Structures are given as C-alpha cells and as structure tokens.
Amino acid sequence: MTSGLWELVLQGIWVTIQLLVLSTLLATAVSFAVGMARTHRLRIVRFLAGLYTEVFRGTSALVMIFWVFFVLPPAFGWQLVPLWAGTLALGLTYGAYGSEIVRGALNAVDPAQREGGIALSFTPWQRMRLILLPQAVPEMIPPFCNLLIELLKGTALVSIMGMGDLAFSGNLVRLALQESAEIYTYILLIYFVIAFLLTRMMRGLEKRLKAGVGKAPQRKARTPEPAVVEGVR
C-alpha cells in the first residue's frame, strides 16, 4: 500500500481507539451504577435497574446505533455527531451486560461480610465502598476483560454511519486496491493486536487488585532447633 493509504488506516485505528475509550468509560459507569442498583434494598430501584438491563441487553447494538443516529434527530430536533452517537449506543448497550457482572460479583461476597458491616453500624454506602466493592471488584476483572474485547469488536458497527473507524477505512482501502484478502488480513491482525494488549493490561490489573486480598498475614518461619543426641557433646 502507498503511504497515503497507510495514513488512512492509521486514522481509522485512532478513531477506533477513541471510540473504544469513550464507550468503555460510559459502559463502566453504567455497569457500576445499574449493577449496584440491582442489589438496592428498595424494590422500585431494583425494578428500574432490572428494566434497563433487560431492555438494552435484549436489543441489538446495531439497531441501537441506527436508533440513536437516525431516530433521535427528528424526534428531539438535534443531531449527534457519529462519534458521540456510537459512544452512547455502545456504552448503554454493553453497560447493560456489565451491570450483570457487577450484580453477580456483589452477590457472591460472603453474607457475613455484609452482616459485619451492619454490626459496625456502617451506612449502606460505607458497606458498599469499604467492604463489598474491594472484595467484588477483583472478581469482576476476567468477565470485564471479555466484555471489553467484545466492545472492541462492536466498534466496527459504527462504520454503518460512515464513521472513519478501522473497519470503514479498511473497506475504503480495499475499494482503492481491489485486494480483499490482503486488506482484511491486515485489519484482522490489527484488531488482534489491540485485543491482545487489552487482555494483558486487564490481567495485570487483576493481579494488582488481588494482591493481598483474602490472604492471611505471613508468619516468619521458625528455625528448627538442632536435635540433641544423648551422650554427644
């Protein structure tokens, strides 16, 4: 490929990374907000959080992008740029999946931990912040890693809006060179490299968060006293 075509691909990679970061931030905020709401003591809060989860988890991310980009403008009289439309659609959709990860991890914490917080007269927010989340978050990392990879692959859906992401740029290069096998192989490899780097980053974060969690204090090993044999000085 010429330098101009490679520049187009690099611009597509940058747009994909921007979309990935923004939608990940939104999906993370939604995941924790809705996931913690699913464990709230008030039934109405749990119902509303569950309704959100079922609606966005049960709809297609592709159709959601269409709805945000093409339906919202005539309904509300304003137009989102493709980057923000993609961020909103992907963040809300994948946030619904992430909320189930948060809910499951919180419910997996030993009930005795929650009861201990009640015995110490902690408020619900103090129990969540000081007891439940520190134990639940490390267990969320592996499923969140899988969800992050799925979100990376989902960013290719924004190409339907004409947004110049990696998939859209790769298709333009394919049309220019009339070489499908070579171009799409490059695109696959680029997605794989980004996913591999994300996986290594999440594994490092998991090890860091799990360091020292649930481990008993280490005791110094006692040096065994030399055996005394009778009759030997």
Side-chain angles (χ1 to χ4, degrees):
M1 290 192 298
T2 63
S3 59
L5 293 178
W6 274 115
E7 184 178 351
L8 183 62
V9 172
L10 292 176
Q11 290 177 354
I13 295 174
W14 173 238
V15 172
T16 295
I17 292 175
Q18 283 183 296
L19 180 62
L20 177 64
V21 171
L22 293 173
S23 55
T24 297
L25 292 176
L26 177 58
T28 302
V30 170
S31 298
F32 278 91
V34 177
M36 290 189 292
R38 294 292 302 274
T39 64
H40 200 274
R41 64 182 184 276
L42 295 180
R43 181 175 297 180
I44 183 63
V45 176
R46 296 198 304 270
F47 171 77
L48 293 176
L51 179 63
Y52 167 84
T53 301
E54 294 301 327
V55 169
F56 280 87
R57 191 176 57 176
T59 54
S60 168
L62 178 61
V63 177
M64 187 59 65
I65 291 175
F66 275 124
W67 195 86
V68 171
F69 191 66
F70 295 108
V71 177
L72 283 182
F76 295 95
W78 43 265
Q79 177 71 58
L80 287 172
V81 297
L83 178 62
W84 294 115
T87 297
L88 184 61
L90 293 176
L92 293 178
T93 300
Y94 285 89
Y97 292 99
S99 66
E100 284 296 282
I101 297 174
V102 174
R103 182 192 64 83
L106 290 174
N107 288 336
V109 177
D110 191 346
Q113 301 290 329
R114 194 185 304 265
E115 295 169 1
I118 296 174
L120 293 173
S121 300
F122 283 178
T123 64
W125 172 241
Q126 286 177 323
R127 293 197 299 270
M128 180 67 69
R129 181 172 59 89
L130 300 176
I131 297 176
L132 300 179
L133 283 178
Q135 299 181 66
V137 168
E139 304 302 324
M140 302 176 193
I141 300 302
F144 265 132
C145 179
N146 291 333
L147 189 62
L148 182 60
I149 301 304
E150 289 298 322
L151 178 55
L152 169 64
K153 293 184 287 186
T155 57
L157 297 175
V158 301
S159 60
I160 62 173
M161 299 184 294
M163 186 174 173
D165 70 314
L166 178 58
F168 186 82
S169 300
N171 189 51
L172 292 181
V173 175
R174 181 189 68 84
L175 293 175
L177 298 179
Q178 296 297 315
E179 289 288 343
S180 298
E182 180 183 358
I183 300 304
Y184 284 133
T185 300
Y186 286 147
I187 301 302
L188 284 176
L189 290 176
I190 293 172
Y191 274 114
F192 172 77
V193 170
I194 298 175
F196 179 79
L197 294 176
L198 291 174
T199 301
R200 302 306 301 177
M201 180 186 68
M202 294 296 285
R203 286 181 180 176
L205 179 61
E206 180 185 4
K207 290 180 180 179
R208 184 172 182 178
L209 290 176
K210 286 187 174 181
V213 175
K215 296 181 180 179
Q218 295 183 355
R219 298 179 180 179
K220 294 182 179 180
R222 297 180 60 184
T223 304
E225 297 180 356
V228 178
V229 180
E230 186 177 359
V232 178
R233 296 182 180 179

